[in-house]
Amino acid sequence: MTTAKPAQGRQADLVAFARNTVDLINEKELLELLSEGRPLRVKFGMDPSSPDLHVGHMVQLLKLRELQELGHQIVLIVGDATAMVGDPTGKNKLRPQLSREDVERNLETYTDQARLVLDLERTEIRRNSEWFDKMDFTELLKLASRMTVAQMVERDTFQKRMKANEPIGIHEFLYPLMQGWDSVQVRADAELGGTDQLFNNLVGRTLQGQVGQRPQVVFTGPLINGLDGRKMSKSYENSVSLTDPANEMFGKLMSLDDESMEEWFRLLTQLPDEERQTVLAGHPREAKARLAEEITAFLHSPDAAKEARAAFDSQFRDKNVPEDIPLLEWPAQGEELPLFLLVAKLGLAQTSSDARRLQKQGAIRVNGEPELNDKRRFATGETEVLLQVGKRRFARVLISEVTSS
RNA sequence: GGGGGAAUACUCAAGCGGCCAACGAGGUCAGACUGUAAAUCUGAUGGCCACGCCUUCGCAGGUUCGAAUCCUGCUUCCCCCA
């Protein structure tokens, strides 16, 4: 079912594997594999412990897609068994162990999101519970005996945590072993991961070697920083989800640090090198808008991206009031409220204290005019009024003024 | 089994009897400016129809006119020795 590729094709494959990768262990073995002329089984592990994928994952997914288009077989491992362990990677905290139900729920949203980049029809998707659920304690011990504590402790995240006097659960040592065992189970020829996965993926090589398989080639893709230049992390809220609505996605991308533009362009768009250079040499705002449009177009559609860009320009560059402002209902039946409380009750501010602060700072506008008088009261009525809190929160509401003294 | 540490607001982290709604940093939010939800600068950041009132410093008690700070017990975590 497979036809051998000519040497020229192999060269193209090698370039694809090596382009934008950080580690490639190692090139010689990869060439040997490619020269067999068959599609390689390229493994990629997904950790279903968080419900959505962001553009950081997209870097790796795009690489997989590229390889997929060259005819290689992508094997997506869903780490449903591994997710039960929690995650030892640099979070500095023990990640909570997930229940089966959590994992199942995440799994669906995960594949839906991976579909945005990968052709899942041509992708082999395997859950690692497939083999780990069958593993009994004796087998587990055998697996655990394949590596030493010293080898485990080599891992930098463990090192750091030990230095910082942070706890490490015994079970966390199993995590790399499990991931490595996945490679044995699916007979991976190569495994892609973020640079943070290097250690784990190398364990796969070790284990495959021990059971007499040809050790997989390990290659890693760069981890991109978040919108603010710090490490991309959910808790920093500096990531862009693959499923963010187009407008939000575009806006978030526009808040990217200037310094990260080159990298994001290179890793997240299909733009040819030359065109990329040209765009980056131009006006920074234009370049960023182009980047945002490219990514939004890829994940949504070119039309949606255009609209998002137009809406963004209108609202933030030209400072127009956006369309589609919701008409909110008067929150407190029949009562009259001071402006700040109204804002709070409408959900435009977190708390009434928050609303007061915002008002004091001139962030609350009524029909476009900042209102600083915190004594001003309103009641429900017939007049439609535009409320604005900061630059991004808008609402319309029907009111009648009671006092303005 | 023995010994030593630690628990403070979103996060990190000061405070060690009154001047503490609690230093500082980050984050977040807002304002100004602009090239944008970049950068920079400034300010705010427990709650409350609020010039005052209420609730916070792991939990529960206690000492005191007065506690995040002292005492007792409990819980959780970390380290070292065995």
Side-chain angles (χ1 to χ4, degrees):
Chain A
M1 77 182 231
T2 60
T3 47
K5 288 194 182 193
Q8 207 181 352
R10 295 202 296 273
Q11 196 57 40
D13 284 20
L14 181 63
V15 169
F17 272 97
R19 187 173 163 272
N20 283 330
T21 62
V22 180
D23 307 283
L24 175 56
I25 301 168
N26 58 53
E27 192 172 320
K28 181 164 160 282
E29 291 179 19
L30 177 58
L31 263 177
E32 282 168 20
L33 279 168
L34 287 171
S35 68
E36 291 178 17
R38 64 182 170 88
L40 297 186
R41 294 174 62 72
V42 181
K43 174 195 165 203
F44 182 73
M46 301 199 305
D47 167 18
S49 58
S50 56
D52 55 15
L53 294 175
H54 53 62
V55 288
H57 300 106
M58 187 172 155
V59 174
Q60 323 299 344
L61 290 173
L62 280 171
K63 168 69 69 188
L64 292 175
R65 181 193 172 119
E66 191 182 357
L67 297 173
Q68 186 170 50
E69 277 166 6
L70 286 167
H72 295 291
Q73 176 64 53
I74 305 304
V75 183
L76 219 51
I77 302 288
V78 176
D80 60 343
T82 335
M84 308 286 190
V85 175
D87 176 33
T89 54
K91 298 268 169 175
N92 295 330
K93 283 203 177 120
L94 292 169
R95 207 186 253 189
Q97 299 180 9
L98 296 180
S99 69
R100 288 274 170 187
E101 294 79 63
D102 291 331
V103 171
E104 282 306 314
R105 206 171 324 114
N106 290 343
L107 184 61
E108 253 180 70
T109 61
Y110 249 64
T111 46
D112 279 349
Q113 293 170 63
R115 199 186 308 280
L116 292 169
V117 183
L118 274 183
D119 180 355
L120 291 188
E121 299 302 307
R122 285 191 287 158
T123 304
E124 183 176 324
I125 300 178
R126 306 281 289 275
R127 307 176 179 205
N128 66 0
S129 59
E130 188 188 323
W131 41 90
F132 283 119
D133 280 0
K134 280 185 257 167
M135 188 176 254
D136 66 25
F137 196 70
T138 313
E139 289 171 302
L140 173 65
L141 286 178
K142 195 170 170 198
L143 176 60
S145 70
R146 290 178 184 275
M147 284 187 78
T148 65
V149 170
Q151 285 174 308
M152 273 309 153
V153 169
E154 242 179 67
R155 198 182 167 182
D156 62 340
T157 58
F158 288 142
Q159 293 271 6
K160 276 184 206 144
R161 284 166 61 182
M162 277 160 44
K163 278 200 188 100
N165 285 347
E166 280 166 15
I168 298 170
I170 301 284
H171 65 296
E172 293 185 73
F173 280 164
L174 294 176
Y175 195 96
L177 282 165
M178 290 173 79
Q179 231 173 285
W181 196 243
D182 292 342
S183 291
V184 170
Q185 290 297 316
V186 303
R187 307 188 76 90
D189 294 308
E191 174 159 15
L192 174 67
T195 51
D196 59 337
Q197 293 299 311
L198 181 61
F199 180 91
N200 291 342
N201 295 358
L202 289 173
V203 171
R205 277 172 70 84
T206 307
L207 297 185
Q208 284 175 307
Q210 285 182 14
V211 304
Q213 287 182 21
R214 174 171 200 154
Q216 64 186 3
V217 167
V218 169
F219 60 127
T220 64
L223 299 179
I224 57 174
N225 284 328
L227 294 167
D228 53 5
R230 293 185 296 164
K231 189 181 156 206
M232 190 177 291
S233 156
K234 290 244 166 51
S235 45
Y236 290 157
E237 293 188 346
N238 61 357
S239 62
V240 181
S241 292
L242 301 191
T243 50
D244 279 340
N247 281 337
E248 194 181 328
M249 180 178 288
F250 190 93
K252 279 188 183 179
L253 289 165
M254 284 304 281
S255 78
L256 178 71
D257 270 5
D258 283 4
E259 295 72 53
S260 307
M261 270 201 285
E262 193 276 336
E263 185 183 41
W264 283 49
F265 250 116
R266 185 161 43 79
L267 297 173
L268 294 169
T269 70
Q270 328 280 319
L271 239 54
D273 289 356
E274 214 174 294
E275 191 175 354
R276 190 178 71 234
Q277 303 295 353
T278 313
V279 172
L280 283 167
H283 195 293
R285 190 195 180 277
E286 273 310 300
K288 201 177 290 177
R290 177 70 188 277
L291 173 69
E293 194 175 337
E294 287 286 332
I295 296 174
T296 308
F298 182 80
L299 291 170
H300 289 277
S301 70
D303 285 348
K306 272 202 191 72
E307 276 175 38
R309 179 171 182 164
F312 184 90
D313 283 348
S314 164
Q315 184 175 349
F316 296 107
R317 191 190 59 193
D318 308 332
K319 297 187 168 34
N320 292 325
V321 172
E323 292 164 28
D324 305 330
I325 299 172
L327 178 65
L328 299 181
E329 239 171 87
W330 188 255
Q333 291 287 347
E335 274 184 78
E336 60 169 79
L337 300 169
L339 179 60
F340 73 91
L341 237 199
L342 172 64
V343 164
K345 291 206 191 246
L346 286 173
L348 298 171
Q350 300 285 315
T351 62
S352 75
S353 300
D354 188 32
R356 270 178 190 273
R357 284 192 288 270
L358 288 164
Q359 184 170 27
K360 200 177 295 176
Q361 297 184 108
I364 299 182
R365 290 162 204 268
V366 178
N367 285 331
E369 289 303 311
E371 177 55 66
L372 293 165
N373 181 1
D374 64 351
K375 296 285 194 305
R376 200 163 169 195
R377 301 176 78 89
F378 297 98
T380 186
E382 303 297 317
T383 319
E384 186 179 302
V385 151
L386 174 70
L387 284 179
Q388 190 177 348
V389 179
K391 292 190 180 79
R392 280 188 270 168
R393 278 167 279 174
F394 294 87
R396 293 176 298 140
V397 69
L398 292 172
I399 65 173
S400 66
E401 183 150 333
V402 176
T403 55
S404 59
S405 57

